[in-house]
Amino acid sequence: MKIFKFGGASCNSVERIKKLPSIINKFSHEQIVMIISAMGKTTNALEQVVSYYYKENIEEALKHFNFIKQQHNETTKSLLIKNFDKCNTKLTEYFKTIEQFIDTKPTREFDYYYDQIVSIGELLSTCIISFYLNEVAIENKLLDVRNILKTDNNFRDANINWDKTKNNISSVQLHPSLTITQGFIGSTNYNESTTLGREGSDYTAAIFANLLNAESLTIWKDVDGVMNADPKLFSDAQLINELSFNEVIEMSYYGAQVIHPKTIKPLQNKSIPLIVKSFLDINLQGTIISAKPVNNLPPIIVIKENQALIQLHTKDFSFVGEEAVAALYKIFSELKIKPNLIQTGAISIQICLDYWEDKIHQLTELSANLFNVKIATGLQLLTIRHYTDEIKNKLLQGKNVILTQQTKETIQALYLI
Ligand code: ASP
Ligand code: MG
């Protein structure tokens, strides 16, 4: 069995959805479980709906929601004839669920409503695609993943209940050739919808691969595979044919947006290879990620924009001791802050992190009784894995570098832009 994951970009237009049959037909002799995200930018649009709803700006919430409805209705009209009515009835049910929420005053926390409303994006896309494939004679079975993937009620970043999910998967009857279900969403024991964090469909696909002991997971994308740098920033970015799980974990740690960081562990635990492949040209090989160590990698470049540097100095020039460091890490954990770089000196600690205004403000306040705090903003953080002197000098030439950190494998440099 193979698991396929199709992201928002693979179904963001009628034209792209129409590419799916030729891909699936290539694998007609295999059993496929297909995990699909919401179409295009639907999740962002639904996020807007929730924000307006929670601010009790019903008019704007409905305006944004109607736009989403219209987009999905148009897609359905362009794709379906025979199955149009059936699909339309189902979509209308989903729309109604949202409208009923919008009709009632919010009484619970924001994250709860976020999940109830945002989760519909995946339900809409899978419904349309399942009916469409059926219409072009690709038999398939659509499952509501919320009956399978069980989570706690940590809305917006729900944790998987592995035991329950495993039980559910083993009792579900999969289609002999194609089963379709939603990425990114799940549900609590009370059947309230939950989401797994933005871009979480990759993770869903990895969970299915793990629990079904799949032979591989293929993530179909609109790029040729994993590149050594962002091709939008580096015109000479190159495709990497093969990577190890460990390398991908390192790359995501430093901020490379290859795949959702939680995706690797379920695959690594069962040595299930991950293939990142283009749906635009399926003859390209893509990138294969597996447990096998890979040597001689090209320099891998990650740039994180919009960084802040917090400089903490001990108040009385005393050494930075374990207590101060422990207190600081406790603050990170309370504020759910993940620093991108930390450097500890004799009487100071420097922390580079994404510029999130309110978190930085809270961090400043909470550490002010231990340290004098200085903040610099408008910075960029460059990370190069497998660096050479040549690439390091080239990328840092003329940069106003204020902090660097270097190991044998990795160099990081923070500079003003
Ligand atoms: N639709 C969700 C998002 O845009 C999940 C995903 O795409 O993986 O974040
Ligand atoms: Mg996506």
Side-chain angles (χ1 to χ4, degrees):
M1 177 192 303
K2 288 187 161 81
I3 313 293
F4 284 179
K5 183 258 171 173
F6 286 91
S10 61
C11 52
N12 65 2
S13 64
V14 169
E15 198 192 331
R16 287 202 167 171
I17 296 172
K18 284 188 172 170
K19 280 188 176 296
L20 292 175
S22 66
I23 299 177
I24 294 158
N25 283 332
K26 279 225 158 188
F27 298 88
S28 52
H29 51 288
E30 312 247 13
Q31 190 176 26
I32 305 286
V33 175
M34 191 165 150
I35 313 291
I36 307 179
S37 314
M39 289 178 183
K41 301 272 174 238
T42 306
T43 306
N44 293 6
L46 286 164
E47 282 186 340
Q48 296 268 357
V49 175
V50 194
S51 318
Y52 282 119
Y53 160 66
Y54 208 71
K55 281 189 247 160
E56 299 191 43
N57 186 342
I58 304 308
E59 200 182 315
E60 279 298 316
L62 281 175
K63 198 170 109 194
H64 280 77
F65 187 55
N66 283 334
F67 181 69
I68 298 169
K69 269 168 74 170
Q70 189 195 332
Q71 263 186 334
H72 284 82
N73 284 336
E74 277 168 15
T75 307
T76 314
K77 265 189 218 140
S78 312
L79 287 170
L80 304 176
I81 298 170
K82 195 176 91 220
N83 287 335
F84 178 81
D85 285 341
K86 273 190 271 173
C87 183
N88 203 33
T89 310
K90 194 73 206 154
L91 296 188
T92 310
E93 267 174 42
Y94 290 133
F95 295 149
K96 274 214 184 100
T97 326
I98 303 298
E99 280 154 358
Q100 274 161 4
F101 273 107
I102 299 180
D103 248 5
T104 12
K105 248 182 179 328
T107 51
R108 293 179 61 170
E109 77 274 26
F110 177 83
D111 290 355
Y112 163 78
Y113 292 105
Y114 178 100
D115 281 5
Q116 308 321 301
I117 292 175
V118 166
S119 58
I120 200 190
E122 271 62 17
L123 294 162
L124 299 173
S125 64
T126 45
C127 177
I128 296 173
I129 290 171
S130 166
F131 275 117
Y132 167 65
L133 292 176
N134 187 289
E135 187 142 328
V136 295
I138 298 180
E139 247 188 64
N140 66 85
K141 179 171 179 175
L142 175 63
L143 297 174
D144 185 331
V145 81
R146 295 173 301 174
N147 298 325
I148 302 169
L149 200 144
K150 287 290 165 182
T151 70
D152 63 6
N153 62 359
N154 191 26
F155 296 108
R156 273 183 93 173
D157 190 19
N159 301 294
I160 311 297
N161 181 330
W162 282 90
D163 289 338
K164 284 216 167 102
T165 305
K166 188 176 176 185
N167 258 330
N168 292 342
I169 280 196
S170 60
S171 58
V172 102
Q173 185 92 53
L174 297 174
H175 190 278
S177 54
L178 180 62
T179 305
I180 296 178
T181 198
Q182 305 77 26
F184 175 58
I185 70 174
S187 78
T188 66
N189 289 343
Y190 298 103
N191 295 326
E192 295 167 321
S193 299
T194 50
T195 65
L196 310 180
R198 287 301 308 263
E199 302 303 328
S201 295
D202 291 351
Y203 183 38
T204 307
I207 295 165
F208 272 77
N210 177 299
L211 294 176
L212 291 168
N213 295 311
E215 100 199 39
S216 61
L217 162 61
T218 307
I219 296 186
W220 297 89
K221 280 183 163 278
D222 57 354
V223 291
D224 296 350
V226 179
M227 313 288 282
N228 74 324
D230 182 348
K232 284 185 217 111
L233 302 175
F234 296 88
S235 55
D236 56 352
Q238 55 186 108
L239 177 74
I240 309 175
N241 294 315
E242 230 183 313
L243 281 168
S244 67
F245 286 132
N246 288 342
E247 182 63 37
V248 173
I249 290 170
E250 293 283 343
M251 286 168 72
S252 343
Y253 172 81
Y254 290 110
Q257 302 203 318
V258 191
I259 32 176
H260 190 283
K262 285 184 183 168
T263 312
I264 297 299
K265 195 166 165 250
L267 301 175
Q268 197 170 23
N269 286 350
K270 289 208 172 159
S271 293
I272 300 168
L274 167 63
I275 303 150
V276 180
K277 215 169 142 62
S278 167
F279 61 78
L280 297 170
D281 184 354
I282 65 172
N283 296 318
L284 296 178
Q285 217 203 319
T287 303
I288 298 184
I289 302 160
S290 71
K292 197 177 110 195
V294 180
N295 297 317
N296 301 325
L297 285 169
I300 295 175
I301 303 162
V302 183
I303 290 183
K304 289 201 108 192
E305 317 251 4
N306 208 9
Q307 300 294 295
L309 180 68
I310 318 274
Q311 294 170 293
L312 305 174
H313 282 264
T314 53
K315 289 203 155 160
D316 51 1
F317 292 95
S318 59
F319 285 125
V320 173
E322 312 77 70
E323 269 169 39
V325 174
L328 195 60
Y329 273 89
K330 193 158 164 265
I331 297 173
F332 291 160
S333 123
E334 267 165 31
L335 299 178
K336 291 194 181 153
I337 284 179
K338 195 179 117 332
N340 296 323
L341 190 161
I342 299 187
Q343 216 164 68
T344 312
I347 54 165
S348 70
I349 304 179
Q350 318 220 49
I351 305 149
C352 166
L353 68 171
D354 295 349
Y355 181 70
W356 279 3
E357 206 176 342
D358 51 334
K359 287 213 178 186
I360 288 177
H361 182 74
Q362 289 177 60
L363 173 64
T364 312
E365 283 203 334
L366 290 171
S367 45
N369 57 346
L370 292 167
F371 301 99
N372 290 322
V373 186
K374 269 204 263 170
I375 304 172
T377 58
L379 308 173
Q380 221 173 55
L381 178 66
L382 165 74
T383 303
I384 317 173
R385 295 219 7 105
H386 319 291
Y387 61 93
T388 57
D389 282 342
E390 192 193 334
I391 186 105
K392 180 177 97 181
N393 294 337
K394 187 174 145 203
L395 294 180
L396 290 177
Q397 194 189 22
K399 295 275 188 324
N400 190 351
V401 177
I402 52 175
L403 193 69
T404 54
Q405 194 153 287
Q406 184 165 352
T407 65
K408 216 172 113 234
E409 290 286 3
T410 309
I411 182 165
Q412 290 188 286
L414 186 68
Y415 47 83
L416 288 161
I417 44 165

